Amino acid sequence: MRFFRKISLVIALLTFFSCSENGDSEKAENSEPTQREVENYSLIVGVTNNQRLTIGEALTITARGLIDTVSVKSLTATIGGQEFTDPSELNIPTDALAVGNQSIEVNVDLGFKTESKQFNLEMLSDIAPAKYTYERVQWFIHDPDAYTQGLFYHDGFLYENTGQRGRSSLRKVELETGAVVQQAFLQDQFFGEGITLWDDKIIQLTWTSNQGFVYDLGTFEEVKTFNYPTEGWGITSLENELVMTDGTTSNLYFLDSETLAETRRLSVYDDKGPQDQLNELEYIDGLIYANVYQTDFIITIDPQTGKITSEIDLKGLLNAQTNRPVDVLNGIAYDTENDRLFVTGKLWPRLYEIRLVEKVSG
């Protein structure tokens, strides 16, 4: 049986007592509050900003007056787009809330005035990510000069975007040989980042220029540009929208597939807290796969909730002997037709086809 910790938000209505002109120190029972008391009532919420609460835990909000002349007419709280009202106590379900920061607005109606308070709760995921490792299926030659930033597989070819200013390029690559068969270079001021396929177009991000590019898939000719206010890191395409990351936050930014304007955003969380440094992305079987920058891990994310569903440990994957410098794991591609998962890294001499293996606990 699952037990939930109960978070109680106690709203205390405090007053500053004062003597009347004739020296009385107490009011008659059930009398109306004096003007001085009305002016000095304040709302105090017994919870700190950004207090953490796991989705599914009970959230109770209560209100009470500290003197007999004050009674709460109604108590209202708004969270996650829903409003809850009760004369004295609210029991708010949290199962449907999204992970990340949730704003709560509390209003207490005292009849003669309304007191309000707004604060945040930080909602943690209610699931612990499953743990996976890998098996190497086979490996392919990968250009060791390719600073891999974006990767996807389409019709027998890899499409790769490389980074570094003055060297960034969009490439079409033969999987079996690693040969570059088509290439378009970015202008020197741009640092290439993630790419994804949408219909017959390639969508490309750049790092700190706040500008992306759209190319014709067949010709690599630039079709248009678009802008975004954040850094550009990873991007992938879902069934009817695109999703990108900025690397510095835990946000997923969802974009309209036609206008490329942001339509919504979602935080990425596990049961411990937020996950930032989300780099190259790939959408596979309803989940977003994301490289975690400067680590050997890929995580999978539910795009509806932002919850991390699994963590894939790829330590030791690059086992090739090389005298050349290599950089971090980055690059995920998926062959949907043949159910093949490919991964590589920046400046890696190899690209691997891998099979995921769930770790056995114990």
Side-chain angles (χ1 to χ4, degrees):
M1 181 178 294
R2 185 176 180 182
F3 294 92
F4 296 114
R5 178 168 56 90
K6 190 172 184 181
I7 305 297
S8 180
L9 310 184
V10 180
I11 301 171
L13 305 174
L14 302 182
T15 184
F16 296 91
F17 292 94
S18 61
C19 296
S20 63
E21 292 182 358
N22 60 9
D24 291 338
S25 60
E26 297 181 356
K27 298 187 304 295
E29 187 175 355
N30 298 323
S31 65
E32 291 297 319
T34 67
Q35 181 65 29
R36 175 67 182 275
E37 289 170 335
V38 168
E39 291 174 352
N40 284 292
Y41 277 108
S42 62
L43 178 66
I44 298 176
V45 179
V47 66
T48 59
N49 272 343
N50 301 317
Q51 181 170 330
R52 286 182 162 186
L53 180 68
T54 298
I55 288 175
E57 289 184 320
L59 174 60
T60 300
I61 301 177
T62 59
R64 60 188 174 88
L66 295 184
I67 59 174
D68 294 337
T69 57
V70 175
S71 61
V72 175
K73 306 300 182 184
S74 68
L75 174 64
T76 302
T78 304
I79 181 172
Q82 291 185 286
E83 184 176 278
F84 303 86
T85 301
D86 190 88
S88 60
E89 182 176 273
L90 296 173
N91 294 298
I92 299 176
T94 63
D95 303 76
L97 294 179
V99 294
N101 288 329
Q102 290 288 335
S103 177
I104 306 177
E105 183 177 344
V106 179
N107 292 282
V108 180
D109 183 2
L110 301 173
F112 57 86
K113 68 181 300 187
T114 299
E115 290 282 357
S116 298
K117 181 76 172 181
Q118 190 167 11
F119 58 97
N120 290 323
L121 284 180
E122 186 181 18
M123 305 302 301
L124 303 182
S125 174
D126 55 343
I127 60 173
K131 308 295 184 182
Y132 285 84
T133 183
Y134 64 92
E135 291 178 353
R136 295 185 188 89
V137 178
Q138 59 180 324
W139 62 269
F140 303 89
I141 295 172
H142 180 254
D143 182 0
D145 291 324
Y147 197 77
T148 307
Q149 297 292 84
L151 193 69
F152 68 82
Y153 179 91
H154 177 69
D155 281 351
F157 292 91
L158 289 169
Y159 290 79
E160 184 172 21
N161 200 46
T162 66
Q164 299 182 327
R165 288 185 176 86
R167 299 179 59 186
S168 295
S169 70
L170 174 64
R171 304 173 170 196
K172 181 178 181 180
V173 180
E174 284 187 345
L175 173 64
E176 290 76 13
T177 67
V180 178
V181 298
Q182 192 174 357
Q183 190 169 19
F185 287 91
L186 279 72
Q187 297 179 33
D188 288 354
Q189 70 266 33
F190 295 112
F191 191 116
E193 284 284 346
I195 55 171
T196 193
L197 178 66
W198 183 260
D199 290 337
D200 59 349
K201 303 292 189 296
I202 297 174
I203 316 298
Q204 178 192 60
L205 300 179
T206 62
W207 180 24
T208 56
S209 302
N210 308 116
Q211 184 171 338
F213 299 90
V214 181
Y215 300 90
D216 180 89
L217 174 64
T219 65
F220 279 14
E221 290 184 3
E222 183 183 313
V223 175
K224 67 176 181 179
T225 64
F226 63 101
N227 297 101
Y228 41 88
T230 67
E231 292 184 7
W233 282 47
I235 188 169
T236 191
S237 53
L238 282 62
E239 287 89 352
N240 55 5
E241 58 189 341
L242 308 178
V243 60
M244 63 173 282
T245 60
D246 64 8
T248 60
T249 71
S250 63
N251 290 335
L252 295 177
Y253 299 90
F254 293 82
L255 311 180
D256 182 274
S257 59
E258 299 300 325
T259 66
L260 300 176
E262 182 184 339
T263 57
R264 62 188 178 99
R265 65 182 64 177
L266 196 62
S267 296
V268 175
Y269 269 68
D270 63 11
D271 55 334
K272 302 294 192 301
Q275 177 64 67
D276 57 7
Q277 301 287 297
L278 302 173
N279 208 358
E280 219 273 310
L281 305 179
E282 185 77 7
Y283 184 62
I284 305 173
D285 293 336
L287 295 174
I288 297 172
Y289 285 57
N291 282 114
V292 180
Y293 183 51
Q294 293 184 326
T295 77
D296 294 312
F297 289 92
I298 291 173
I299 60 172
T300 63
I301 307 162
D302 184 334
Q304 302 305 314
T305 66
K307 298 176 184 178
I308 298 174
T309 60
S310 67
E311 183 182 83
I312 305 163
D313 185 352
L314 296 183
K315 288 187 181 72
L317 177 61
L318 181 61
N319 64 351
Q321 297 296 318
T322 177
N323 294 322
R324 300 175 61 96
V326 295
D327 209 306
V328 297
L329 178 78
N330 199 50
I332 310 168
Y334 183 63
D335 176 3
T336 305
E337 184 176 350
N338 298 296
D339 188 26
R340 294 190 295 174
L341 178 62
F342 305 107
V343 295
T344 190
K346 305 172 188 286
L347 308 178
W348 282 26
R350 292 183 178 182
L351 175 139
Y352 293 89
E353 179 188 345
I354 63 172
R355 183 181 299 112
L356 302 184
V357 179
E358 189 165 8
K359 290 183 178 180
V360 179
S361 60

